[in-house]
Amino acid sequence: MLAAIVFYVFAAILVASAAMVIVARNPVHSVLFLILCFFNAAGLFVLMGAEFLAMILVVVYVGAVAVLFLFVVMMLDVDFVKLREGFARYLPVGAAVGLVLAAELVFVLAPWAFSASVPEAISVPIPDPGEIHNTKAIGLVLYTDYAYLFQAAGLVLLVAMVGAIVLTLRDREGVKRQSIARQVARTRGQGVETVSVKSREGVDV
Amino acid sequence: MAEGTFLSMALTGALILGQILLVTVPLLLAVAMLTYAERKVIGAIQLRKGPNVVGPFGLFQPFADALKLLTKETIVPTGANRIVFMMAPMLTLLLSLVAWAVIPFDAGWVIADINVGILYLFAISSLGVYGIIMAGWASNSKYAFLGAMRSAAQMVSYEVSIGFVIITVLLCVGSLNLSDIVNAQKNMWFFIPLFPMFVIFFVSALAETNRSPFDLPEGESEIVAGYFVEYSSMSFAMFFLGEYAAMILMSGMVSILFLGGWLPPFDIAPFNWIPGIVWFALKTALCLFVFLWVRATMPRYRYDQLMRLGWKIFLPFSLFWVVATAGVLMATGWIPR
């Protein structure tokens, strides 16, 4: 009974905050609600006994992705009046896109949910949670049966990272950079020069 | 039957509440004593006396300070986003307290002995940045915002090397459970074989808690006090409490991951008479002393130097060390099954 109450609390907050993400007028509030959303999703994972996935969700999405997201949204200079100006004009287009997506979701989910082979498909690969905990179970499958797919996912991420760096890297002129190696390698002879100056004559440096 | 389950549920609830109080109250006392110790230690290093007026040896100074903050007026700036502004310090304090749920103080002395304890700690400590960003943004002030930006970049950067250090330790343990991590150090504390990672973890912990020499988010000489310039009274006190509790938490993590947690240094007569919690407290206090020592000794890092240290030195080195540790464990067959 307690688990059911906790489930409904998490699920209600999850759905409500997901709605607030698109309803909130201030984009920063939207991102904060998105974070609340992730957090409650992690709570649901814990309820299902998948605590490893829950923690990874918090570490990756809340701890890193959403931070950078919030970072960018805070830097944006958004004019709220201008943002709401075209609301009526864009409404039909937005509604059409939403409808198409919803229809696609129904087409995908409906046969999956009602197909007779689903229970058999689900019940095969899960080991008994009593004898092996989920972190180990994921590791045993991920690095053996799905090793190639895992590597491929890593490669996709690597390509995305290289792409992002290539797109934003530019050589700027006139930037003074610190070269630690050169600073360390400098000797007294290169930096200091002793000059004996004759009185009333001065010296050219 | 139904009445019995209700009674047992109420009893369990009361028991958990009692455990939480048993951890939180000493923790807040430890925070108070840490602020006192910080002023005393820095005073000693700078040949001053430190606080010595309120109570014996100035011991009641932190309580006097807390009382002063409590009685002051809470000021919310006109341009601030009120809700987020007030939420930020609460979040900071909350996050630094909830992490203690999984810390084992002695064998079996832990509120929640979960399987993914170290991941939970990592997750909670990576959330700490939100309090700071929210405070910086909601204050609607340039200094606060600059501090928040610096802090966000800094904490995200150093989390990466902390993650690799944790992976190295996990490779040697074969479990994510904190009690298992401590028990795996029965024969040798991990700071001996993994000494470079111990150093990296400690330095990254300094950066993660925004302590000097990485206290750029506060940087009182350039951006006044960074993200909490606009805070006063209790909201300021909550930031302060949260920051110091996070410091104690990081020191606790250092002692669990590398210094053998509650284990005595040698498992022989005079050492193993002392209860484990004393050893844990002593190790944590030692790390905290180094935190304070560093603050009194080091000048503040420049921003580009901080980023260089994080990304160009710590990250490649810890990545190499993960691979090397895994290789050695595989080659020698010491890898835990």
Side-chain angles (χ1 to χ4, degrees):
Chain A
M1 190 193 74
L2 197 64
I5 295 173
V6 175
F7 169 79
Y8 282 115
V9 168
F10 275 137
I13 298 176
L14 176 65
V15 173
S17 55
M20 285 306 287
V21 172
I22 44 175
V23 173
R25 295 209 167 142
N26 193 328
V28 173
H29 290 174
S30 288
V31 179
L32 290 176
F33 276 116
L34 183 68
I35 292 159
L36 188 62
C37 217
F38 283 143
F39 216 81
N40 283 286
L44 288 180
F45 270 131
V46 170
L47 273 186
M48 289 196 304
E51 68 261 18
F52 181 74
L53 282 182
M55 292 306 150
I56 291 296
L57 183 74
V58 174
V59 169
V60 175
Y61 282 93
V62 185
V65 175
V67 171
L68 297 178
F69 210 52
L70 194 60
F71 208 83
V72 172
V73 171
M74 279 178 181
M75 302 278 275
L76 289 180
D77 191 18
V78 187
D79 188 352
F80 298 112
V81 183
K82 214 173 174 183
L83 204 69
R84 260 171 278 155
E85 222 168 43
F87 184 72
R89 198 151 60 94
Y90 296 125
L91 189 62
V93 184
V97 171
L99 262 178
V100 169
L101 274 178
E104 280 179 351
L105 268 181
V106 169
F107 285 139
V108 171
L109 283 182
W112 181 77
F114 303 121
S115 143
S117 64
V118 167
E120 297 147 35
I122 290 179
S123 59
V124 179
I126 299 173
D128 180 22
E131 62 188 53
I132 185 165
H133 59 82
N134 63 74
T135 314
K136 202 167 181 178
I138 290 175
L140 285 178
V141 180
L142 193 63
Y143 298 116
T144 51
D145 296 354
Y146 297 104
Y148 293 119
L149 289 176
F150 182 70
Q151 294 286 337
L155 269 181
V156 170
L157 282 177
L158 181 69
V159 170
M161 201 164 81
V162 172
I165 292 171
V166 168
L167 283 177
T168 52
L169 186 71
R170 61 200 159 94
D171 237 0
R172 279 184 298 172
E173 296 281 315
V175 180
K176 285 186 178 166
R177 283 187 203 284
Q178 182 182 21
S179 164
I180 304 268
R182 252 177 52 204
Q183 283 183 346
V184 172
R186 228 160 89 106
T187 58
R188 185 185 155 83
Q190 287 167 285
V192 183
E193 189 187 355
T194 320
V195 185
S196 53
V197 184
K198 273 189 185 160
S199 181
R200 291 169 187 253
E201 279 181 22
V203 66
D204 288 323
V205 183
Chain B
M1 177 65 197
E3 206 171 293
T5 51
F6 181 75
L7 200 69
S8 73
M9 258 166 68
L11 268 177
T12 334
L15 192 70
I16 293 174
L17 201 68
Q19 286 174 330
I20 291 171
L21 281 178
L22 220 62
V23 171
T24 315
V25 173
L27 176 66
L28 291 178
L29 267 178
V31 168
M33 282 304 117
L34 178 60
T35 60
Y36 169 77
E38 174 163 39
R39 295 168 70 177
K40 271 292 190 197
V41 166
I42 294 179
I45 291 175
Q46 296 169 347
L47 300 180
R48 295 184 284 113
K49 278 190 172 160
N52 63 348
V53 175
V54 190
F57 309 105
L59 263 173
F60 297 152
Q61 185 68 46
F63 303 104
D65 289 341
L67 220 65
K68 181 199 77 175
L69 281 170
L70 264 173
T71 51
K72 287 207 165 186
E73 183 191 354
T74 308
I75 300 167
V76 182
T78 329
N81 189 320
R82 295 184 76 93
I83 298 172
V84 181
F85 186 83
M86 291 319 288
M87 243 165 68
M90 294 181 199
L91 191 73
T92 307
L93 182 62
L94 179 91
L95 286 174
S96 59
L97 292 183
V98 288
W100 288 87
V102 295
I103 297 283
F105 296 95
D106 199 342
W109 286 26
V110 48
I111 297 180
D113 196 17
I114 58 176
N115 278 333
V116 288
I118 189 73
L119 266 183
Y120 173 82
L121 276 185
F122 189 55
I124 294 295
S125 73
S126 70
L127 292 184
V129 67
Y130 281 112
I132 293 172
I133 307 188
M134 280 162 69
W137 177 79
S139 303
N140 203 1
S141 145
K142 288 185 185 67
Y143 291 129
F145 195 58
L146 277 175
M149 302 308 285
R150 286 184 181 187
S151 162
Q154 174 178 332
M155 289 173 92
V156 170
S157 312
Y158 279 83
E159 237 158 56
V160 186
S161 47
I162 286 192
F164 278 126
V165 173
I166 289 177
I167 290 175
T168 327
V169 173
L170 294 183
L171 280 174
C172 304
V173 179
S175 166
L176 294 165
N177 184 303
L178 287 170
S179 302
D180 289 349
I181 292 177
V182 173
N183 281 327
Q185 302 178 57
K186 276 242 161 75
N187 297 321
M188 188 194 282
W189 295 358
F190 283 149
F191 87 98
I192 300 169
L194 300 175
F195 187 73
M197 294 311 251
F198 170 60
V199 175
I200 287 184
F201 188 83
F202 192 81
V203 176
S204 303
L206 287 176
E208 190 79 358
T209 49
N210 295 324
R211 287 290 295 184
S212 89
F214 307 110
D215 56 349
L216 298 128
E218 286 160 44
E220 52 280 271
S221 56
E222 4 166 349
I223 49 173
V224 198
Y227 56 91
F228 56 64
V229 230
E230 304 290 347
Y231 284 86
S232 57
S233 170
M234 232 17 231
S235 50
F236 171 77
M238 277 160 109
F239 264 124
F240 209 74
L241 283 174
E243 207 169 290
Y244 278 77
M247 258 169 79
I248 303 180
L249 176 74
M250 273 295 174
S251 306
M253 267 174 87
V254 171
S255 48
I256 286 172
L257 288 177
F258 291 102
L259 300 177
W262 67 77
L263 298 172
F266 306 102
D267 201 12
I268 46 173
F271 293 108
N272 55 20
W273 290 344
I274 300 170
I277 186 159
V278 175
W279 283 118
F280 181 73
L282 274 178
K283 288 166 187 174
T284 311
L286 180 75
C287 296
L288 282 170
F289 172 73
V290 182
F291 265 74
L292 305 181
W293 185 13
V294 166
R295 174 168 172 198
T297 313
M298 300 290 199
R300 184 177 299 135
Y301 260 58
R302 213 173 56 204
Y303 188 72
D304 61 321
Q305 293 171 332
L306 172 103
M307 284 296 154
R308 176 176 173 275
L309 183 70
W311 289 106
K312 290 191 176 171
I313 299 175
F314 280 1
L315 181 61
F317 186 80
S318 50
L319 191 57
F320 161 77
W321 203 270
V322 168
V323 177
T325 311
V328 168
L329 287 175
M330 275 311 271
T332 51
W334 292 339
I335 198 151
R337 297 281 166 193

